[in-house]
């Protein structure tokens, strides 16, 4: 990531940040006072390990994170970026208050040598590598990291560039410490020989079984009544299985805002006038800067043009007004002013990079031989893009080796640049090009060209006008005013088929989405407001290109789990228990019959008799019942020829008979099974450690009330 260059390009952002800081300083008393958003000192966004996170403190950290983000990225934080920053600040607080205690207790630190190595040494951090990899070539050069760091360190202390760099360094070091902690937890996992033996036997021992199976679905749901009292009792006895969560459910109507016919006509008239004015203005470049919705260069190389313009420019003549040309919802008028020669050449090329496995002569010779073989196939007519996808060893392979456009300005390593710009025309270079990165097979797809086209471009975007927005808002506001309850909203929707009632169920606290609609945080915050009750209808919210009217239809709380929070799941389980009682009672009187076929015949409709062979405890599947763990356990718990009493399984009731069993043969070495079990534990241990730390920290998150 070219931090310095991006910061220079976006220097206006720095001015904006300073201005905002001054405004906050001047009017901070009003914004943060007793009547402001964060006026009360008791307002808190959460609790972590006994530490109260006040709204004011969280906002300060968020403001700092925003400055750091904009310094690193060179662009203003939009709504999506702010949502990610809020999550990052919260996670940083979790580390500060919950995780660092664990780090300190274990003595986990990073040495100065490690801190240096992850940026400039042999083991570069993936984030550093990604940020400083050339997107065109897929090549990482740590010298760029060093140069960037040195340039930033020469700037005044506390400059926005230094703030961005320091945040970048801090986040990477913190990530390494977190990874070290998780890896330490993983390395502490252990699988005993007894556990490995158990896994081996569960996978290897086999059994043949025969059973009567009466699935729950054989009894119609409508014949089994479930009472609220039964649901409450079941929930009380299984409360550990049903963890509460703070969620809200909404029904809502979205009034979409789209350009109207009048907006299209107005844009057409505007573009007609733009074309006339552009033709006669004495200073067309200034006119474009003031009137274009999208910035454009004044002199264009072919790499600056989309395919549409690249084709059209062939027919342009000096002074010509062309267009409008459409790209998505953007319409552009061009004025052509001729061409000139640039001091730099531009070329478009593709390559296939073959790297040596290491720096030994043998490895290099092997890589060269492979590259020469590929070059030979290409000379014989093989498809370059396909060969690049199969053989390329850098980031360009996935796009057929395409490097895009580049210039002879040092953006490529010297041998590569010399070979490409020394080649005339297009096509496959006849010889390999060796660089520090390996052996390159290169194809020039567009010949070098230093021609620049003077094209003044004015772009206008088709969007809804303020009048259109006002009209849609008026409809949404009238709808909200006329319908003050969910029942009234439902009636209005039935009456007007053009209005669609949408549902968003179980929205988690802190979410910013309504189904697939993003940036809907204002609606979610309204739903979570303490003053909003079930049945309340909201005011009109603007979300993206729509106006939303919502009604709160449900609440759940992590502190107070109710039957309604899990009514469907609880009803299904209680109903199956009641069905099981019916089936068990009926089968109980038949269990002594001599054959399972007789049991099924006497039971009647719904009873199945099935036989399965060579099932294992770990991977056994019963024909109709699937992988029922209770039934599989019974199968391997019975002696050959022994028949079970009726018992309840996952999806129905069984009487099971084990016909034959083959124990797992004894083996001397369980290493294979021990390794597999250990790998499974390793994959889960990091997650479980994180969950344990957060649970122990008694984390309470109230951010949804503020953001």
């Amino acid at each position: 990531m070219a931090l310095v260059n991006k910061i220079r390009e976006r220097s206006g952002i720095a001015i904006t940040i300073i201005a905002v800081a001054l405004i906050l300083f001047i009017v901070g008393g009003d914004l943060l006072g007793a009547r402001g958003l964060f006026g009360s000192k008791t307002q808190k966004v959460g609790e972590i390990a006994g530490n109260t996170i006040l709204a004011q403190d969280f906002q300060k950290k968020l403001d700092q994170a925003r400055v750091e983000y904009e310094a690193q990225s060179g662009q203003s934080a939009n709504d999506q970026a702010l949502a990610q920053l809020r999550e990052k600040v919260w996670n940083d607080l979790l580390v500060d208050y919950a995780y660092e205690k664990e780090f300190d207790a274990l003595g986990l630190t990073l040495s100065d040598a490690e801190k240096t190595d992850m940026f400039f040494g042999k083991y570069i951090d993936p984030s550093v590598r990604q940020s400083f990899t050339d997107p065109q070539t897929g090549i990482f050069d740590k010298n760029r990291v060093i140069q960037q760091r040195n340039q930033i360190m020469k700037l005044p202390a506390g400059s926005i560039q230094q703030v961005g760099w320091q945040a970048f360094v801090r986040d990477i070091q913190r990530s390494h410490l977190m990874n070290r902690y998780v890896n330490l937890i993983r390395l502490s996992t252990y699988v005993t020989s007894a556990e490995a033996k158990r896994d081996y036997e569960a996978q290897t021992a086999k059994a043949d079984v025969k059973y009567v199976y009466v699935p729950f679905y054989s009894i119609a749901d409508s014949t089994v009544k479930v009472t609220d009292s039964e649901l409450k009792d079941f929930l009380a006895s299984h409360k550990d299985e049903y963890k509460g969560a703070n969620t809200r459910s909404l029904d809502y109507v979205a009034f979409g805002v789209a350009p109207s016919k009048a907006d299209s006509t107005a844009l057409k008239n505007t573009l007609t006038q733009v074309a006339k004015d552009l033709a006669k203005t004495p200073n067309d470049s200034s006119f474009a800067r003031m009137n274009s919705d999208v910035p454009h260069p004044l002199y264009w190389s072919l790499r600056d043009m989309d395919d549409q313009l690249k084709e059209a420019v062939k027919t342009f003549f000096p002074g010509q007004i062309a267009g409008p040309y459409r790209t998505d919802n953007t319409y552009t008028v061009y004025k052509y002013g001729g061409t000139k020669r640039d001091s730099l050449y531009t070329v478009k090329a593709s390559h296939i990079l073959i790297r040596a496995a290491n720096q030994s002569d043998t490895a290099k010779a092997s890589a060269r031989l492979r590259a020469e073989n590929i070059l030979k196939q290409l000379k014989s007519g093989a498809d370059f893009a396909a060969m690049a996808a199969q053989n390329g060893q850098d980031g360009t392979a996935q796009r057929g080796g395409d490097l895009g456009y580049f210039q002879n300005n040092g953006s490529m390593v010297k041998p590569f640049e010399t070979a490409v710009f020394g080649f005339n025309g297009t096509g496959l270079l006849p010889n390999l090009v060796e660089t520090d990165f390996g052996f390159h097979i290169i194809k020039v797809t567009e010949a070098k060209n230093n021609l620049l086209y003077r094209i003044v471009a004015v772009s206008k975007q088709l969007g809804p006008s303020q009048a259109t927005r006002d009209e849609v808002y008026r409809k949404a506001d009238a709808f909200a005013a006329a319908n003050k309850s969910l029942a009234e909203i439902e009636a209005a929707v039935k009456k007007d088929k053009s209005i669609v009632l949408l549902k968003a169920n179980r929205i988690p606290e802190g979410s910013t989405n309504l189904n697939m609609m993003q940036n809907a945080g204002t609606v979610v915050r309204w739903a979570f407001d303490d003053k909003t009750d079930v049945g309340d209808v909201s005011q009109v919210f603007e979300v993206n290109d729509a106006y939303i009217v919502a009604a709160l239809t449900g609440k759940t709380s992590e502190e107070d789990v109710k039957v309604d929070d899990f009514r469907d799941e609880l009803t299904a389980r209680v109903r199956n228990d009641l069905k099981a009682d019916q089936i068990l009672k009926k089968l109980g009187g038949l269990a002594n019959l001599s054959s399972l076929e007789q049991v099924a015949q006497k039971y009647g409709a719904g009873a199945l008799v099935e036989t399965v062979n060579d099932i294992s405890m770990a991977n056994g599947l019963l024909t109709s019942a699937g992988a029922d763990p209770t039934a599989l356990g019974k199968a391997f718990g019975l002696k050959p020829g022994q028949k079970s009493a009726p018992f309840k399984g996952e999806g129905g009731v069984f009487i099971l008979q084990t016909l034959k069993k083959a124990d797992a043969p004894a083996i001397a070495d369980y290493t294979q099974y021990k390794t597999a079990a250990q790998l499974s534990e390793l994959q889960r241990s990091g997650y479980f450690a994180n969950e344990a730390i957060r649970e122990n920290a008694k984390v309470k998150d109230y951010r949804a009330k503020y953001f």
Side-chain angles (χ1 to χ4, degrees):
M1 184 184 296
L3 294 173
V4 170
N5 290 337
K6 286 188 176 181
I7 288 165
R8 287 173 180 166
E9 292 170 5
R10 306 280 184 148
S11 58
I13 295 171
I15 297 170
T16 301
I17 292 169
I18 294 169
V20 170
L22 287 172
I23 292 169
L24 288 174
F25 178 79
I26 294 168
V27 302
D30 292 328
L31 292 176
L32 303 175
R35 293 174 295 176
L37 177 60
F38 302 126
S40 172
K41 292 183 178 180
T42 60
Q43 288 183 314
K44 56 187 178 182
V45 296
E47 299 174 19
I48 303 173
N51 296 278
T52 298
I53 315 300
L54 294 177
Q56 303 100 308
D57 297 333
F58 187 87
Q59 184 64 48
K60 288 177 183 177
K61 289 182 179 292
L62 180 60
D63 291 340
Q64 179 64 23
R66 180 173 185 167
V67 171
E68 292 169 354
Y69 167 83
E70 293 177 343
Q72 288 183 54
S73 66
Q75 58 188 17
S76 298
N78 57 22
D79 289 342
Q80 183 178 0
L82 282 174
Q84 293 171 348
L85 289 174
R86 282 192 286 270
E87 196 63 27
K88 178 184 181 301
V89 169
W90 181 255
N91 287 331
D92 286 347
L93 288 167
L94 284 170
V95 172
D96 291 341
Y97 293 128
Y99 286 82
E100 284 194 356
K101 292 179 181 178
E102 305 297 325
F103 299 162
D104 293 341
L106 294 170
L108 289 182
T109 59
L110 293 174
S111 68
D112 290 341
E114 288 173 315
K115 293 177 181 178
T116 300
D117 187 71
M118 65 184 69
F119 285 88
F120 316 112
K122 291 183 179 180
Y123 303 102
I124 303 295
D125 180 87
S127 295
V128 177
R129 187 175 294 276
Q130 179 182 1
S131 297
F132 289 89
T133 292
D134 189 314
Q136 296 294 329
T137 65
I139 294 171
F140 168 77
D141 183 359
K142 66 182 178 184
N143 290 323
R144 290 182 60 203
V145 188
I146 296 171
Q147 292 169 5
Q148 199 96 326
R149 191 276 309 270
N150 291 342
Q151 290 178 37
I152 290 174
M153 289 301 102
K154 292 177 182 177
L155 297 173
S159 64
I160 191 170
Q161 297 93 330
Q162 284 196 8
V163 167
W165 174 259
Q166 289 163 0
F168 185 58
V169 171
R170 182 198 63 228
D171 289 344
I172 287 174
Q173 291 177 353
R174 173 172 280 179
S175 175
H176 272 254
L177 206 54
M178 285 288 293
N179 289 337
R180 178 165 293 182
Y181 174 75
V182 170
N183 288 335
L184 187 61
I185 294 293
R186 287 173 176 166
L187 289 172
S188 70
T189 60
Y190 182 74
V191 175
T192 66
S193 296
E195 290 172 314
K197 181 181 179 182
R198 181 198 62 196
D199 288 350
Y200 162 72
E201 291 175 345
Q203 295 174 44
T204 310
K206 303 294 183 182
D208 295 348
V209 298
K210 187 176 183 179
Y211 53 89
V212 172
Y213 176 56
V214 184
F216 295 139
Y217 63 73
S218 65
I219 299 177
D221 288 352
S222 59
T223 65
V224 181
K225 302 301 180 184
V226 179
T227 67
D228 277 359
S229 176
E230 289 170 323
L231 294 177
K232 289 178 182 178
D233 290 344
F234 187 90
L235 179 60
S237 60
H238 295 79
K239 57 184 179 181
D240 289 342
E241 299 177 40
Y242 295 92
K243 299 293 184 182
N246 294 326
T247 72
R248 298 292 184 268
S249 295
L250 296 171
D251 283 2
Y252 64 97
V253 174
F255 295 85
V257 182
S260 65
K261 185 176 181 180
D263 295 332
S264 297
T265 300
L267 179 63
K268 181 180 179 181
N269 294 336
T270 297
L271 290 168
T272 300
Q273 189 60 47
V274 163
K276 292 178 181 178
D277 293 341
L278 187 58
K280 64 184 181 181
T281 182
N283 193 336
D284 48 18
S285 60
S286 295
F287 177 85
R289 282 195 300 273
M290 290 186 293
N291 290 279
S292 182
D293 293 344
V294 179
H296 295 291
L298 180 58
Y299 283 93
W300 305 56
S301 67
L302 291 177
R303 69 174 179 172
D304 299 321
M305 303 180 189
D306 59 24
D307 292 339
Q308 182 179 220
L309 178 58
K310 197 181 298 181
E311 187 63 29
V313 77
K314 297 175 183 177
T315 64
F316 287 177
F317 56 84
Q320 179 183 354
I321 301 296
Y325 292 90
R326 179 181 177 181
T327 303
D328 297 326
N329 280 335
T330 301
Y331 295 77
T332 305
V333 175
Y334 299 107
K335 181 179 180 181
Y336 182 59
T339 62
K340 72 173 184 177
R341 294 288 175 179
D342 188 17
S343 58
L344 293 175
Y345 284 87
T346 300
V347 72
K348 188 179 184 184
S350 299
H351 82 148
I352 302 172
L353 174 63
I354 304 300
R355 301 180 189 272
N358 52 58
Q359 294 302 308
S360 68
D361 292 341
T362 302
K364 288 182 178 179
S366 176
R368 177 184 285 277
L369 184 63
R370 183 184 174 195
E372 287 175 343
N373 182 50
I374 295 170
L375 180 60
K376 184 177 180 180
Q377 293 179 62
L378 291 169
K379 288 180 177 179
S380 299
D383 182 81
F384 192 96
M387 294 295 285
Q390 294 171 13
N391 299 283
Q393 295 179 317
D394 70 343
T396 66
Q398 59 189 355
R399 54 180 186 269
D402 184 19
L403 292 165
Y405 290 94
F406 54 92
Q407 293 180 305
N408 56 329
N409 58 2
S411 58
M412 298 294 185
V413 290
K414 191 64 176 177
F416 189 100
E417 188 175 278
T418 300
V420 170
F421 287 95
F423 184 76
N424 291 316
T426 61
L428 187 68
L429 269 65
N431 301 308
L432 300 178
V433 176
E434 183 179 1
T435 72
D436 291 340
F437 300 100
F439 297 95
H440 304 260
I441 303 154
I442 304 171
K443 179 181 180 181
V444 176
T445 53
E446 285 189 24
K448 62 183 180 183
N449 189 321
N450 67 343
L451 200 63
L452 292 180
Y453 299 80
R454 189 183 192 280
I455 303 175
V456 177
V458 179
S459 294
K460 294 292 184 182
Q461 295 176 324
L462 176 60
S465 64
Q466 190 58 50
T468 299
R469 289 184 175 278
D470 290 345
E471 176 60 21
V472 176
Y473 177 81
R474 185 192 63 76
K475 291 180 181 178
D477 190 47
F479 181 88
N483 302 286
K484 296 295 187 181
S485 68
L486 179 60
E488 290 177 342
I489 288 178
E490 290 172 341
V493 169
K494 286 181 181 179
K495 186 176 180 181
D496 187 346
K497 299 300 182 183
S498 67
I499 302 174
V500 178
L501 186 63
L502 303 170
K503 294 181 179 293
N505 294 323
R506 296 288 188 90
I507 305 168
E509 192 171 17
S511 175
T512 58
N513 294 347
L514 276 180
N515 296 325
M516 299 301 290
M517 183 180 291
Q518 298 181 340
N519 305 319
T522 53
V523 185
V524 177
R525 287 195 294 276
W526 169 81
F528 276 92
D529 192 292
D530 293 336
K531 296 178 181 178
T532 303
D533 295 322
V534 173
D536 285 356
V537 176
S538 74
Q539 73 271 32
V540 178
F541 293 105
E542 183 176 4
V543 179
N544 302 332
D545 285 327
Y547 292 105
I548 304 293
V549 178
L552 186 65
T553 58
K555 291 182 178 184
T556 67
S557 168
E558 65 178 351
E559 304 294 342
D560 183 18
V561 182
K562 294 184 172 64
V563 166
D564 282 340
D565 298 348
F566 300 98
R567 179 170 289 276
D568 291 342
E569 298 98 314
L570 293 171
T571 300
R573 290 189 63 176
V574 172
R575 184 187 290 123
N576 283 346
D577 283 350
L578 295 173
K579 289 181 180 181
D581 291 341
Q582 291 183 30
I583 299 168
L584 286 166
K585 184 177 181 180
K586 190 172 181 180
L587 280 179
L590 306 173
N592 292 326
L593 293 174
S594 58
S595 73
L596 296 179
E597 285 81 4
Q598 287 180 315
V599 172
Q601 185 179 10
K602 286 287 186 180
Y603 181 89
L608 307 171
V609 179
E610 299 175 339
T611 301
V612 291
N613 299 322
D614 287 331
I615 61 170
S616 69
M617 176 79 80
N619 304 305
L621 286 176
L622 305 180
T623 305
S624 297
D628 192 303
T630 306
L632 290 172
K634 288 281 187 183
F636 284 90
L638 296 171
K639 296 177 181 179
Q642 188 178 4
K643 186 171 64 174
S644 75
F647 64 90
K648 175 180 175 288
E650 294 287 310
V653 175
F654 294 84
I655 297 177
L656 185 144
Q657 183 177 22
T658 298
L659 304 177
K660 185 175 67 174
K661 285 170 64 176
D663 293 334
I667 59 175
D669 186 3
Y670 296 102
T671 301
Q672 173 186 347
Y673 299 91
K674 197 171 187 178
T675 301
Q678 183 118 4
L679 180 60
S680 176
E681 289 295 323
L682 285 173
Q683 292 172 339
R684 294 182 295 174
S685 59
Y687 169 78
F688 287 139
N690 286 329
E691 289 298 300
I693 289 173
R694 292 180 184 228
E695 184 176 346
N696 187 56
K698 295 180 172 58
V699 176
K700 302 293 182 184
D701 187 354
Y702 311 125
R703 287 177 293 159
K705 296 180 179 180
Y706 301 97
F707 303 103

